[in-house]
Amino acid sequence: MRQYFVQEILAEGDEYAFDREISHHLSRVLRMKENTEIRIIDGSYAAFSASVFYRDGRTYALIGPREEKGAEEREITCLAALIMKDKWELIIQKACELGVTRIVPLITERTVIRLEKGESEKKVARWNKIAREACQQSNRSRIVEVTEPVKLKDIEKYKSDINLVAYENEEKVSLVEKLHEGSISFVVGPEGGISESEIDYLTSAGFERVSLGRNILRAETAVMYVLSVIDAFGGGK
Ligand code: SAM
């Protein structure tokens, strides 16, 4: 069943008029028939079954019963160093599919991407659009937030119950052994890796170094690997 996120707060019986973008997608791209069942997730993340209808050239949903609240998702924050555009946008899309709940773009010593002042706002909006589409497509029960880029020294506020840094020079501690119940924040470095001074800072800030195995993974692979291992062996929420 297709699902759509909307900003408004909905109630059973509402006739909800979709915005231009979703209207076009439903009527022109999918050519969805009237009374087709869809799911709508409103601004409070409440999920409703709904059925589509068309009136005066616009696309509507008749809001049906509210669905039982799904199991709360585990809070997982990915603090990933900004990397080249295509791979960065791949990280956002795949991390959303794999269960991340927040993505924090990091500026580190070896980050090659530099965002001009005005550019940052436009980029963050694009990244959140990619996240929203990925969450919609993968039937996530909520939308993943992509924050403004932050410097490594400002990451304290994004800590969780478990705080890990995937460090390419770590040879002893594996990711799995650090997973147990609770929310998780994890750091992944850029193409150039994490510097000595950065790993010292992260360790002192309470991020535990973990290895992702003996192979050196690309940053985008490392993010997908961490989220997959959390999903498979994560030790509950
Ligand atoms: N320049 C680094 C080197 O050649 O050793 C590689 C950096 S890697 C492309 C990007 C990031 O992915 C690393 O900073 C780290 O966060 C993560 N990563 C990749 N392979 C890893 C591994 N085997 N163990 C832990 N982290 C890894």
Side-chain angles (χ1 to χ4, degrees), residues 158-207:
Y158 296 108
K159 286 180 73 176
S160 297
D161 300 329
I162 304 165
N163 299 291
L164 307 172
V165 47
Y167 184 45
E168 55 273 24
N169 299 327
E170 173 58 39
E171 291 176 356
K172 291 197 215 51
V173 179
S174 75
L175 170 63
V176 176
E177 59 190 276
K178 288 297 171 187
L179 295 181
H180 50 76
E181 295 245 321
S183 59
I184 299 179
S185 290
F186 68 93
V187 174
V188 170
E191 300 93 334
I194 298 171
S195 73
E196 284 297 317
S197 61
E198 286 175 330
I199 198 65
D200 292 345
Y201 166 73
L202 283 162
T203 314
S204 65
F207 284 79

Side-chain angles (χ1 to χ4, degrees), residues 9-148:
I9 303 300
L10 301 175
E12 185 169 355
D14 286 354
E15 289 190 348
Y16 178 76
F18 284 109
D19 64 21
R20 199 172 298 285
E21 186 185 342
I22 299 184
S23 287
H24 174 78
H25 181 72
L26 288 170
S27 57
R28 296 271 174 272
V29 174
L30 299 178
R31 297 185 178 286
M32 198 171 266
K33 287 197 178 30
E34 288 223 323
N35 300 321
T36 304
E37 279 280 289
I38 57 172
R39 175 182 297 122
I40 294 192
I41 297 179
D42 80 356
S44 68
Y45 292 124
F48 296 85
S49 57
S51 54
V52 170
F53 68 96
Y54 302 104
R55 188 170 59 206
D56 307 334
R58 293 204 61 177
T59 308
Y60 291 82
L62 176 61
I63 304 302
R66 179 170 172 160
E67 289 180 0
E68 281 307 306
K69 211 162 168 37
E72 281 301 308
E73 292 191 321
R74 180 177 203 160
E75 294 292 337
I76 304 175
T77 297
C78 169
L79 298 118
L82 268 173
I83 58 174
M84 301 309 277
K85 177 178 181 291
D86 293 355
K87 301 287 185 214
W88 173 252
E89 295 185 355
L90 184 74
I91 281 184
I92 295 174
Q93 187 189 61
K94 297 309 168 199
C96 288
E97 290 175 43
L98 288 166
V100 81
T101 52
R102 180 170 56 176
I103 297 172
V104 180
L106 284 187
I107 309 284
T108 68
E109 280 172 33
R110 299 176 187 168
T111 312
V112 290
I113 302 281
R114 285 285 171 259
L115 294 178
E116 305 309 319
K117 199 77 204 91
E119 199 193 359
S120 184
E121 219 170 289
K122 233 170 64 193
K123 288 263 189 240
V124 172
R126 174 174 167 78
W127 297 339
N128 278 283
K129 186 167 182 293
I130 293 168
R132 180 192 175 95
E133 284 164 2
C135 290
Q136 214 148 248
Q137 176 274 323
S138 52
N139 261 2
R140 291 288 303 271
S141 59
R142 54 186 271 188
I143 298 183
V144 168
E145 176 204 3
V146 184
T147 70
E148 289 280 332

Side-chain angles (χ1 to χ4, degrees), residues 166-168 188-194 210-213 215-219 222:
Y167 184 45
E168 55 273 24
V188 170
E191 300 93 334
I194 298 171
V210 292
S211 166
L212 305 185
N215 303 340
I216 294 296
L217 311 176
R218 287 177 181 276

